[in-house]
Amino acid sequence: MPPEEPARGGLEPGESRPPPPRGWPDGFVSSRADRDAVLGLSRVELVPRDLHALAWEQGSAAACLREIRSAPRWRGRAENAGLDPAEIRASVAACGAGVLAAGDPGFPESLLDLHDPPAWLFVRGVLPEDARWVTVVGARRCSAYGREVATAIGRGLGAAGVVVVSGAASGIDGAAHRGALEAHGPTVAVLGSGVDVPYPTGHRRLISRIATEGAVVSEYPPGTRASRHRFPARNRIVAALGEKAVVVEGALGSGSRITAEFAMDLGREVFGIPGPVTSPLAAVPHELMREGATLARGAADVLESLELFSRGGEVRGASLEGPEARALEALAGSASTLEEIVVRSGLAAGDALAALMGLELRGLVRTAGGRYERTLAGAGGEVPEVNRSRT
């Protein structure tokens, strides 16, 4: 049997190495050679934690790439390390993307909280700056209830200018993105494939719209196909980008639990959306709440934790008038469908829906099973003064 390979940096076999410092070394990407090296490194199949540790050994991206190309310990992993950076750069430009490296202006600082942060991101679109970010995740095979709740949360957060972060997957992820887009709010999708490889393919149009109105990001270079082993790595980025995380639905063992665990490890506040106790899809949020996650009933609870909302409904303005006043007045009785509210209020369907979105953001209205109803605040006591003018 051959002798055990000497531990790196002079450590004896079995001796533990202290974890590397937070983030990346100063000047890790500080020259054109480093930027070329980042493109080369993106093609190397490296565990992110290994690259992070290597960076603190070598100091720069260019030095890391040289080490991978030459050192025996990396043999078998450096197959693509010699690719021409110009070819990779051309593929990035061809899909309308750019590359953000650690230390660049606009590189999300929150990613540096990870033990294995990405050193780069390929980006289609524009990453929002000077905004609050919230992660929303859940089951791919979600229920109609979960889809409705995720859409409402995305809509409410987006209307308040909060960036909705998710993974563009089927089910809850896609619903959260769509809700944010409906409210013309910012949203960011993190892919487990290249930014030019929409996955799932059924979300091609959604991902394209996110790239146009928000941003699509990935640590994988263009052309990278989705693969099962890439999604846990993708999930760590989804979790780190948000300062809060909301789990809408998830069965035991699902990816939403993995994302929630990443968020909890990072010290993020995690919210669970309650569901029917008989539903397997309620297992993860209920389990998280038993472990200390915060119960959330909708976007208002998350916004309140961000101090962007008060229980008096004072998100934007202190009084109701016009369509919002008419929609709230139409809800004086029992829970109602959109069609019933349109009839009672005399509003056009689009105007009624927009008004209900505003009322939900204020915490005066909630949705359940496709019907709208007043919350306790919307029923009196804490309701802002309502201007009943029909104009």
Side-chain angles (χ1 to χ4, degrees), residues 191-286:
L191 302 187
S193 57
V195 291
D196 61 335
V197 181
Y199 187 85
T201 55
H203 278 183
R204 182 182 300 273
R205 292 179 63 183
L206 173 63
I207 292 170
S208 178
R209 185 179 174 191
I210 294 170
T212 300
E213 301 183 33
V216 175
V217 305
S218 174
E219 63 183 322
Y220 303 113
T224 303
R225 296 294 167 185
S227 178
R228 181 179 297 272
H229 75 276
R230 303 190 198 282
F231 288 102
R234 182 277 304 267
N235 290 347
R236 85 192 196 286
I237 295 177
V238 173
L241 284 173
E243 61 180 283
K244 313 275 184 179
V246 183
V247 180
V248 178
E249 285 185 327
L252 292 175
S254 67
S256 54
R257 172 76 204 200
I258 295 172
T259 306
E261 288 176 351
F262 278 126
M264 290 186 290
D265 288 345
L266 293 168
R268 311 295 199 246
E269 183 178 10
V270 174
F271 292 84
I273 300 294
V277 295
T278 55
S279 171
L281 291 171
V284 168
H286 289 179

Side-chain angles (χ1 to χ4, degrees), residues 1 56 104 107 140 164-165 176 196 200 289 293-294 344 367 386:
M1 173 181 268
W56 283 97
D104 285 349
F107 187 87
R140 286 178 170 82
V164 175
V165 184
D196 61 335
M289 286 186 279
T294 306
R344 292 178 198 151
T367 58
V386 175

Side-chain angles (χ1 to χ4, degrees), residues 124-150:
R124 286 176 62 204
V126 179
L127 287 174
E129 297 188 43
D130 301 322
R132 313 292 289 276
W133 296 49
V134 170
T135 296
V136 182
V137 295
R140 286 178 170 82
R141 296 180 179 179
C142 66
S143 68
Y145 161 79
R147 183 177 290 107
E148 179 184 352
V149 170

Side-chain angles (χ1 to χ4, degrees), residues 174-192:
H177 288 304
R178 288 189 181 94
L181 292 169
E182 286 176 11
H184 303 289
T187 189
V188 172
V190 185
L191 302 187

Side-chain angles (χ1 to χ4, degrees), residues 3-6 8 46 54 57-58 63-79:
E4 185 174 351
E5 180 182 341
R8 301 174 196 173
L46 277 180
L54 182 63
E57 290 179 13
Q58 300 296 323
C64 286
L65 189 59
R66 286 194 298 270
E67 168 73 7
I68 289 170
R69 286 172 172 170
S70 61
R73 61 177 160 138
W74 300 106
R75 189 174 293 123
R77 301 203 200 180
E79 181 180 349

